[in-house]
Amino acid sequence: MKLCLLIHCPDRSGIIRSVTTFIHQQKGNIVYLDQHVDKQAGVFFMRLESEFEDTVDLADFKESFGREVALDRDMEWAVHTDGHIPCMAIFVSKYNHCLFDLLSRYRAGELKVHIPFVLGNHKELEGVAEQFGIPFFHVPVQGRDRQDVDRDLFALLRPHKVDFIVLARYMQIISPALIDDYPNKIINIHHSFLPAFVGARPYHAAFERGVKIIGATSHYVTDQLDAGPIIAQDVTPVSHAHSIADFIAKGRDLERFVLSRAVQLHVARKTMVYNNRTVIFT
Amino acid sequence: MKLCLLIHCPDRSGIIRSVTTFIHQQKGNIVYLDQHVDKQAGVFFMRLESEFEDTVDLADFKESFGREVALDRDMEWAVHTDGHIPCMAIFVSKYNHCLFDLLSRYRAGELKVHIPFVLGNHKELEGVAEQFGIPFFHVPVQGRDRQDVDRDLFALLRPHKVDFIVLARYMQIISPALIDDYPNKIINIHHSFLPAFVGARPYHAAFERGVKIIGATSHYVTDQLDAGPIIAQDVTPVSHAHSIADFIAKGRDLERFVLSRAVQLHVARKTMVYNNRTVIFT
Amino acid sequence: MKLCLLIHCPDRSGIIRSVTTFIHQQKGNIVYLDQHVDKQAGVFFMRLESEFEDTVDLADFKESFGREVALDRDMEWAVHTDGHIPCMAIFVSKYNHCLFDLLSRYRAGELKVHIPFVLGNHKELEGVAEQFGIPFFHVPVQGRDRQDVDRDLFALLRPHKVDFIVLARYMQIISPALIDDYPNKIINIHHSFLPAFVGARPYHAAFERGVKIIGATSHYVTDQLDAGPIIAQDVTPVSHAHSIADFIAKGRDLERFVLSRAVQLHVARKTMVYNNRTVIFT
Amino acid sequence: MKLCLLIHCPDRSGIIRSVTTFIHQQKGNIVYLDQHVDKQAGVFFMRLESEFEDTVDLADFKESFGREVALDRDMEWAVHTDGHIPCMAIFVSKYNHCLFDLLSRYRAGELKVHIPFVLGNHKELEGVAEQFGIPFFHVPVQGRDRQDVDRDLFALLRPHKVDFIVLARYMQIISPALIDDYPNKIINIHHSFLPAFVGARPYHAAFERGVKIIGATSHYVTDQLDAGPIIAQDVTPVSHAHSIADFIAKGRDLERFVLSRAVQLHVARKTMVYNNRTVIFT
């Protein structure tokens, strides 16, 4: 059995020793440990994987860890077993490239998740979901009250016990209610190298500015538009010879790749968020 | 003898044929031709290199080209011979990495320019210039009238017949008078991936935003701060594990590389500017 | 109507002028011209796109071009109309990531081709082809005579009038007979940065050597294993922390991207081959 | 006071706990810990930095660590204080770009080393060393016995207590005697993406093969030519439009950058070697 422990707390002496000693006492063998200290903020972060020959009583483990290690240190922490496969909903609009990519990886076994449904504010991508055998739900947004939309969303998310949401070019504002329910659990792909070109039509803006490199950014959604903690970014060179249509075509490859990388990192529990920035463990 | 012809004009049929026929009539052999059409703006760009067995009378060539090809087509154009070595002034402040890089390349024969002097608003880099045997002039800026500073600058630029200016982390605002005298002939290096993080302390801002990639941008100076036509950009990945000091250290390598690439492109006459964007020929 | 002209011939004076004058006489407007001179080999290459207001009689055009321009210059050339959609067969084995990627792009309208069938030497990917509504044919290779296999292949390729073949991790040696029939028309993806790690198990070899960057290479198939003209390459950084399984996972993204880029370049007729190297127009 | 501890040993349970407990007992505060397990080889690697309020008696520390932690675990380890500035000799031949780069970084304070001398098998770069105020020694190689050359080299290296050697395009075979004296302490830059294009004239070979990306590789020198443990690699795209001279020019930038990165990693004690591969800590 394998446990993954994620920790952050005020940086003080002796944390690594305390945690590793605890794991040792529980008869665990540490197979991965990475830590980071944000010196400016004075915060310590750690990700630790350990193997146990016998099954661990998770409730016992949590109770002991909380009492013996975490309490005194004002620690925020979570522990995950390798048995749990997270449940991931995908929200889309009309662009299909990120959806094709995510579902292909899912079918190919590259993404260790359950996908209970794809949800679209339009019906255009119903066929793509069906092709991969995934239920598709249509929840229109235009012209409706946000509360009505949210009711529809929650009516799908809750019964399916969705753990996190991927916005695969969903292009809609997410309500504070939904963000509150899924803190650092909604992953968006923005088609620019943030913070350049926030908002709508970033490829047009990039073309207008005459940049020589374009990018894509995947981030957790917060209540600030395109300003949430960045998980992954990538770029590709462009030149004067490229039209806006070329930017968009090149951007599709970036978006696919960056979004799937962010999802992989999230699923592997290699992301932590603090002060609107991420710690990404390797 | 070799000529390099740079052209832009309204896009119409037959331009390439007219120009190549003219070169042929002048007994030139075209060894390079690259063209670009900005379809949105309806503008045609061309860079053409041709070899001539005999010496060409440049005044004759220009007069004929103007009359026979350029006039009817509302063409803006320039012709350069391979004999002319441009004269490049370097402006610096206190950071030495770009200056070391430019002067090393100059001494190694990688940069086909004359460097008549290095000019600093501080004296810190006098020793670097001296080490490479280049005169150094100190023109303080702080607490002085812009007009007085400009008078000092022009008093150096004019007698040395400076063709273009490289701001190697000069960190000072350039006056409209100087920009007017050197249109698209002042090359700056900005230590961010523009248009992200315009202005002061971009590495601090990038760190604060939690980006996963940092960049550097070289551009021609216009009267809009950090908003001139971009010549070259490059980026490098960063992570949560990097401090602001690490960003700055990594950025130095980007700045060195991007600035020297922009200078190389400018010297090779591979840049054209239109609508605040560049066409960069290869 | 739009024509795309691809030319290569011994480098001599006046070629560009002759060609552009011919296009002008045919009442065409040149919208793109890129040329390259391989100085070592003394060979001139050109790609030219031109628009014609009226329909062009292609037979007439070819006859005239051959007689007036090409003949004297020992020119090899081809002309393509924008109406022709090429027919592309995909050969696979057991790995599905490149097939998913190609078919997703095809369905999304990113690839301007017809795909008459997917052919596998195993049956594993039949379901993927079916999911996208593409016929799948099983042509076993193991334990069979090459001639028998080839007979099966030609029996599929010929009636479907296949223009070119994509080996999407087909992993089988292609017979000289097939290569002869499809010269520079069989595109392979090799999962290393060629010429490093030719042959089988390149990710294992890369891991063993301790490289810090891995790559993928797409090339035209010739009778030399993994030694044909390279169309596209890309790389990604790796570290000691990555296992062979990680190399393979990262490599999948490279392979997808590099293969689709090569296919796009081939379909857009932006590739020319000479002396086992490619000229790739932009 | 700050200590940096580097460890590798057979992978067993409890190593991290033992080491961190020892540091705690010595009243050290761990500010950085990174570990890696090579599962194939069954080897554990760790790099640990710790701060101590008081001065540590290094001899005591080593004796205790050896006895209490390292002995039982068959550990190879080294401990470094932040006070020691390593002594780095530079060997050159005729190419100046890497030498300019290293000395510029040294003068700019980017490289925390002493440079007692530059040694050339030719005299061409004497002026560069002098310009930076570094002694230059000429040790000819051609036509001489290897033993005589080595005697000259050791006569310089030993009295200066040189810790490690950088071959800045030295282009000469290093004798086994010198390699034995400086195991994993001689850093070379090879001008290709190893293992592609081992040996002489790699840019010519890369051009001939028609690659679309060229690279540079920095590695520790072993008795196998260009086959030592790789410290750093980087690449840059090329195209058919680039000549061999262009490859060489682009390669200079790669070589500069990759060599200096490898030197920085070595100086920061972030490299460990095992089975002819490196672990590079971040």
Side-chain angles (χ1 to χ4, degrees):
Chain A
M1 186 181 182
K2 209 166 168 178
L3 294 185
C4 177
L5 193 59
L6 291 169
I7 291 168
H8 71 90
C9 63
D11 185 31
R12 292 208 326 253
S13 178
I15 307 171
I16 296 175
R17 186 187 52 88
S18 299
V19 175
T20 57
T21 299
F22 178 84
I23 296 294
H24 189 75
Q25 285 163 353
Q26 302 284 322
K27 304 199 192 312
N29 182 26
I30 298 166
V31 292
Y32 170 96
L33 185 159
D34 198 359
Q35 53 83 43
H36 167 63
V37 177
D38 181 332
K39 282 180 186 162
Q40 243 178 329
V43 179
F44 174 90
F45 299 86
M46 188 160 76
R47 184 174 181 279
L48 182 149
E49 289 180 10
S50 50
E51 287 172 352
F52 297 81
E53 286 200 13
D54 306 319
T55 304
V56 176
D57 182 319
L58 203 61
D60 266 13
F61 183 95
K62 286 181 176 179
E63 191 275 331
S64 305
F65 186 82
R67 184 166 31 82
E68 297 174 27
V69 182
L71 196 65
D72 279 1
R73 297 181 178 280
D74 201 9
M75 205 176 262
E76 296 199 33
W77 58 283
V79 61
H80 304 280
T81 64
D82 54 350
H84 178 70
I85 304 292
C87 180
M88 164 179 126
I90 304 179
F91 287 15
V92 298
S93 185
K94 294 180 177 177
Y95 293 111
N96 61 18
H97 55 286
C98 286
L99 182 60
F100 264 126
D101 190 66
L102 289 169
L103 296 184
S104 295
R105 290 172 190 271
Y106 177 54
R107 274 288 165 261
E110 292 180 34
L111 266 179
K112 303 295 181 202
V113 296
H114 294 305
I115 302 183
F117 62 83
V118 173
L119 180 151
N121 66 321
H122 293 285
K123 281 192 166 175
E124 269 80 353
L125 302 191
E126 183 162 20
V128 178
E130 274 174 4
Q131 174 191 333
F132 285 86
I134 313 278
F136 179 90
F137 297 105
H138 179 216
V139 177
V141 168
Q142 212 175 356
R144 297 180 70 205
D145 269 3
R146 179 177 279 193
Q147 287 185 326
D148 294 343
V149 174
D150 275 7
R151 196 175 311 119
D152 289 357
L153 298 180
F154 282 120
L156 286 163
L157 295 167
R158 280 175 185 152
H160 284 100
K161 295 196 172 121
V162 167
D163 289 305
F164 71 105
I165 300 166
V166 175
L167 309 182
R169 299 295 310 272
Y170 178 55
M171 318 282 283
Q172 300 296 317
I173 301 289
I174 303 298
S175 73
L178 190 53
I179 296 171
D180 277 0
D181 241 45
Y182 285 92
N184 298 323
K185 287 178 177 172
I186 306 174
I187 300 175
N188 186 40
I189 178 71
H190 183 75
H191 41 314
S192 85
F193 181 79
L194 288 175
F197 310 123
V198 166
R201 294 166 69 86
Y203 292 129
H204 290 73
F207 182 85
E208 208 53 51
R209 180 62 187 90
V211 294
K212 300 303 183 189
I213 292 174
I214 56 169
T217 304
S218 190
H219 63 93
Y220 289 118
V221 174
T222 62
D223 51 7
Q224 303 294 312
L225 179 66
D226 298 334
I230 294 171
I231 307 167
Q233 298 189 290
D234 205 356
V235 295
T236 199
V238 291
S239 81
H240 65 274
H242 293 109
S243 63
I244 292 177
D246 294 330
F247 278 33
I248 291 170
K250 282 171 164 280
R252 277 195 295 259
D253 278 332
L254 285 175
E255 294 164 35
R256 272 187 267 251
F257 175 69
V258 171
L259 180 58
S260 81
R261 191 164 55 172
V263 171
Q264 296 277 22
L265 288 167
H266 182 86
V267 170
R269 308 189 184 289
K270 292 189 170 176
T271 66
M272 292 186 77
V273 173
Y274 190 81
N275 273 358
N276 206 47
R277 292 185 297 179
T278 58
V279 171
I280 304 291
F281 295 106
T282 53
Chain B
M1 187 179 179
K2 208 167 171 178
L3 293 185
C4 176
L5 193 59
L6 291 169
I7 291 168
H8 71 90
C9 63
D11 186 30
R12 294 214 319 260
S13 178
I15 307 171
I16 296 175
R17 186 186 52 88
S18 299
V19 175
T20 57
T21 299
F22 178 84
I23 296 293
H24 189 73
Q25 285 163 352
Q26 301 283 321
K27 304 199 191 312
N29 182 28
I30 297 166
V31 292
Y32 170 95
L33 186 159
D34 198 359
Q35 53 82 43
H36 168 63
V37 177
D38 182 331
K39 283 179 185 162
Q40 241 179 330
V43 179
F44 174 90
F45 300 85
M46 187 160 77
R47 185 174 180 278
L48 183 148
E49 289 179 10
S50 49
E51 287 173 351
F52 297 82
E53 286 201 12
D54 306 318
T55 304
V56 176
D57 182 318
L58 204 61
D60 266 14
F61 183 96
K62 287 181 175 177
E63 191 274 331
S64 305
F65 186 82
R67 185 165 33 82
E68 297 175 25
V69 182
L71 197 63
D72 281 0
R73 298 182 177 279
D74 202 11
M75 203 176 263
E76 295 199 34
W77 58 281
V79 61
H80 305 278
T81 64
D82 55 349
H84 178 70
I85 305 293
C87 180
M88 165 179 126
I90 304 178
F91 287 15
V92 298
S93 185
K94 293 180 177 176
Y95 293 112
N96 61 19
H97 55 286
C98 286
L99 182 60
F100 264 125
D101 189 66
L102 289 169
L103 296 183
S104 295
R105 289 172 191 270
Y106 177 56
R107 274 287 165 261
E110 292 179 35
L111 267 178
K112 303 297 182 201
V113 296
H114 294 306
I115 301 182
F117 61 84
V118 173
L119 180 152
N121 66 320
H122 292 285
K123 282 192 166 174
E124 267 81 353
L125 303 190
E126 184 162 20
V128 178
E130 274 174 3
Q131 174 190 334
F132 284 85
I134 314 279
F136 179 90
F137 297 105
H138 179 217
V139 177
V141 169
Q142 211 176 357
R144 298 180 69 204
D145 270 3
R146 180 178 279 196
Q147 288 186 323
D148 293 344
V149 173
D150 274 8
R151 195 175 311 119
D152 289 357
L153 298 180
F154 282 119
L156 285 164
L157 295 166
R158 280 173 184 155
H160 285 100
K161 298 196 170 117
V162 167
D163 289 304
F164 72 105
I165 300 166
V166 175
L167 309 183
R169 300 295 309 273
Y170 179 53
M171 318 282 284
Q172 300 296 316
I173 302 289
I174 303 297
S175 73
L178 190 54
I179 295 171
D180 278 359
D181 242 45
Y182 286 91
N184 298 324
K185 287 178 177 169
I186 306 174
I187 299 174
N188 187 40
I189 179 72
H190 184 74
H191 41 314
S192 85
F193 182 78
L194 288 176
F197 310 123
V198 166
R201 295 166 67 88
Y203 292 128
H204 290 73
F207 182 86
E208 208 53 50
R209 179 62 187 90
V211 295
K212 299 303 183 189
I213 293 175
I214 56 169
T217 304
S218 190
H219 63 93
Y220 288 118
V221 173
T222 62
D223 50 7
Q224 303 294 313
L225 179 67
D226 298 333
I230 293 170
I231 307 167
Q233 297 189 292
D234 205 357
V235 296
T236 198
V238 290
S239 80
H240 66 272
H242 294 109
S243 63
I244 292 178
D246 294 330
F247 278 32
I248 291 170
K250 281 171 162 283
R252 277 194 295 259
D253 279 331
L254 286 176
E255 295 164 35
R256 271 188 269 252
F257 176 69
V258 171
L259 179 58
S260 82
R261 190 163 56 170
V263 171
Q264 297 277 22
L265 288 167
H266 182 87
V267 170
R269 307 186 184 292
K270 293 189 169 174
T271 66
M272 292 185 77
V273 173
Y274 190 80
N275 272 358
N276 206 47
R277 292 185 296 180
T278 58
V279 172
I280 304 291
F281 295 105
T282 52
Chain C
M1 186 181 182
K2 208 166 169 179
L3 293 184
C4 177
L5 192 59
L6 291 169
I7 290 168
H8 70 91
C9 63
D11 186 30
R12 292 208 327 255
S13 178
I15 307 170
I16 296 175
R17 186 186 51 88
S18 299
V19 176
T20 56
T21 298
F22 178 83
I23 296 294
H24 188 75
Q25 286 163 352
Q26 301 283 324
K27 303 200 192 310
N29 183 28
I30 298 166
V31 293
Y32 170 94
L33 186 159
D34 199 359
Q35 53 83 43
H36 168 64
V37 177
D38 182 331
K39 282 181 186 162
Q40 243 179 329
V43 180
F44 174 90
F45 301 85
M46 188 161 78
R47 185 174 182 277
L48 183 148
E49 289 179 10
S50 49
E51 287 173 351
F52 297 81
E53 286 202 11
D54 306 320
T55 304
V56 176
D57 182 319
L58 204 61
D60 265 13
F61 183 95
K62 286 181 176 179
E63 191 276 330
S64 304
F65 186 82
R67 184 166 34 81
E68 296 174 26
V69 183
L71 196 65
D72 280 1
R73 299 182 178 279
D74 201 11
M75 205 177 262
E76 297 199 34
W77 58 282
V79 61
H80 305 278
T81 63
D82 54 350
H84 178 70
I85 304 293
C87 180
M88 164 180 126
I90 305 179
F91 287 16
V92 299
S93 186
K94 294 181 176 175
Y95 292 111
N96 61 18
H97 55 286
C98 286
L99 182 60
F100 264 126
D101 190 65
L102 289 169
L103 296 184
S104 296
R105 288 172 191 271
Y106 177 54
R107 275 286 166 262
E110 292 180 35
L111 268 178
K112 302 297 180 200
V113 296
H114 294 306
I115 301 182
F117 61 83
V118 173
L119 180 152
N121 66 321
H122 292 285
K123 281 192 166 175
E124 268 80 353
L125 304 191
E126 185 163 18
V128 178
E130 275 174 5
Q131 173 190 332
F132 284 86
I134 314 278
F136 179 90
F137 297 105
H138 179 217
V139 177
V141 169
Q142 212 177 355
R144 298 180 69 206
D145 270 2
R146 180 178 280 194
Q147 287 185 324
D148 293 343
V149 174
D150 274 7
R151 194 174 313 118
D152 289 357
L153 297 180
F154 282 119
L156 284 164
L157 294 166
R158 281 175 185 152
H160 284 100
K161 298 199 170 113
V162 166
D163 289 304
F164 72 105
I165 299 166
V166 175
L167 309 182
R169 298 297 307 274
Y170 179 54
M171 318 282 283
Q172 300 296 316
I173 302 289
I174 303 298
S175 74
L178 190 54
I179 295 171
D180 277 0
D181 243 45
Y182 285 91
N184 298 323
K185 287 178 177 171
I186 306 174
I187 300 174
N188 186 41
I189 179 72
H190 183 74
H191 41 314
S192 85
F193 182 79
L194 289 176
F197 311 122
V198 166
R201 294 167 67 88
Y203 292 129
H204 290 73
F207 182 85
E208 208 52 51
R209 179 61 187 92
V211 295
K212 299 303 183 191
I213 292 175
I214 56 170
T217 304
S218 189
H219 62 93
Y220 288 119
V221 174
T222 62
D223 50 8
Q224 303 294 312
L225 180 67
D226 298 335
I230 294 170
I231 307 167
Q233 298 189 290
D234 206 356
V235 296
T236 198
V238 291
S239 81
H240 65 273
H242 294 110
S243 63
I244 292 178
D246 294 330
F247 277 33
I248 291 170
K250 281 171 162 282
R252 276 194 296 259
D253 279 331
L254 285 175
E255 295 164 34
R256 271 187 268 251
F257 176 68
V258 171
L259 179 58
S260 81
R261 190 163 57 170
V263 171
Q264 297 277 21
L265 288 166
H266 182 86
V267 170
R269 308 188 184 290
K270 293 190 169 175
T271 67
M272 293 186 77
V273 173
Y274 190 81
N275 273 358
N276 206 47
R277 291 185 297 179
T278 59
V279 172
I280 305 292
F281 294 106
T282 53
Chain D
M1 187 181 182
K2 207 166 169 179
L3 293 184
C4 175
L5 192 59
L6 291 168
I7 291 169
H8 71 89
C9 63
D11 185 30
R12 294 213 321 259
S13 177
I15 307 171
I16 296 175
R17 186 186 53 88
S18 300
V19 176
T20 57
T21 300
F22 177 84
I23 296 294
H24 189 75
Q25 285 162 354
Q26 301 284 322
K27 304 201 191 312
N29 183 26
I30 297 166
V31 292
Y32 170 95
L33 185 159
D34 198 1
Q35 53 83 44
H36 167 63
V37 178
D38 181 332
K39 283 183 184 160
Q40 242 178 331
V43 179
F44 174 89
F45 300 86
M46 188 161 76
R47 185 173 181 279
L48 182 148
E49 288 180 11
S50 49
E51 287 173 352
F52 297 80
E53 285 201 15
D54 306 318
T55 304
V56 176
D57 182 319
L58 203 61
D60 266 13
F61 183 97
K62 286 181 174 179
E63 192 275 331
S64 305
F65 186 82
R67 184 166 33 81
E68 297 174 26
V69 182
L71 197 65
D72 280 1
R73 299 181 177 276
D74 201 11
M75 203 176 264
E76 296 199 35
W77 58 281
V79 61
H80 305 278
T81 63
D82 55 350
H84 178 70
I85 305 292
C87 179
M88 163 179 127
I90 304 179
F91 287 16
V92 298
S93 185
K94 293 180 177 176
Y95 293 111
N96 61 20
H97 54 285
C98 286
L99 181 60
F100 264 125
D101 189 66
L102 289 169
L103 296 184
S104 294
R105 289 172 191 270
Y106 177 55
R107 274 287 166 263
E110 293 179 35
L111 268 178
K112 303 296 181 202
V113 297
H114 294 306
I115 301 182
F117 60 84
V118 173
L119 179 152
N121 67 320
H122 292 285
K123 282 192 165 175
E124 267 81 352
L125 303 190
E126 183 163 20
V128 178
E130 274 174 3
Q131 174 190 333
F132 285 86
I134 313 279
F136 179 92
F137 297 104
H138 178 217
V139 177
V141 168
Q142 211 177 359
R144 298 181 69 203
D145 270 3
R146 180 178 278 196
Q147 287 185 325
D148 293 344
V149 174
D150 274 8
R151 194 175 311 118
D152 289 357
L153 297 180
F154 283 119
L156 285 164
L157 294 166
R158 280 174 184 154
H160 284 101
K161 298 197 169 119
V162 167
D163 290 302
F164 71 106
I165 300 167
V166 175
L167 309 182
R169 299 296 307 274
Y170 179 55
M171 319 283 283
Q172 301 297 314
I173 302 289
I174 302 298
S175 74
L178 190 52
I179 295 171
D180 278 0
D181 243 46
Y182 286 91
N184 298 323
K185 288 179 177 170
I186 306 175
I187 299 174
N188 186 41
I189 179 72
H190 183 73
H191 41 315
S192 86
F193 182 79
L194 289 175
F197 310 123
V198 165
R201 294 166 68 85
Y203 292 129
H204 290 73
F207 182 85
E208 209 53 51
R209 178 63 186 90
V211 295
K212 300 303 183 190
I213 292 174
I214 56 169
T217 304
S218 190
H219 62 93
Y220 288 118
V221 174
T222 63
D223 50 7
Q224 303 294 313
L225 180 66
D226 298 334
I230 294 171
I231 308 168
Q233 297 190 291
D234 205 357
V235 296
T236 197
V238 291
S239 80
H240 65 273
H242 293 109
S243 63
I244 293 178
D246 294 329
F247 278 33
I248 291 170
K250 282 173 162 282
R252 276 194 296 260
D253 279 330
L254 285 176
E255 295 164 33
R256 272 187 268 251
F257 176 68
V258 171
L259 179 57
S260 81
R261 191 165 54 171
V263 171
Q264 297 277 23
L265 288 167
H266 182 87
V267 170
R269 307 186 185 292
K270 292 189 169 175
T271 67
M272 293 186 77
V273 173
Y274 190 81
N275 273 358
N276 206 47
R277 291 187 295 180
T278 58
V279 171
I280 304 291
F281 295 105
T282 52

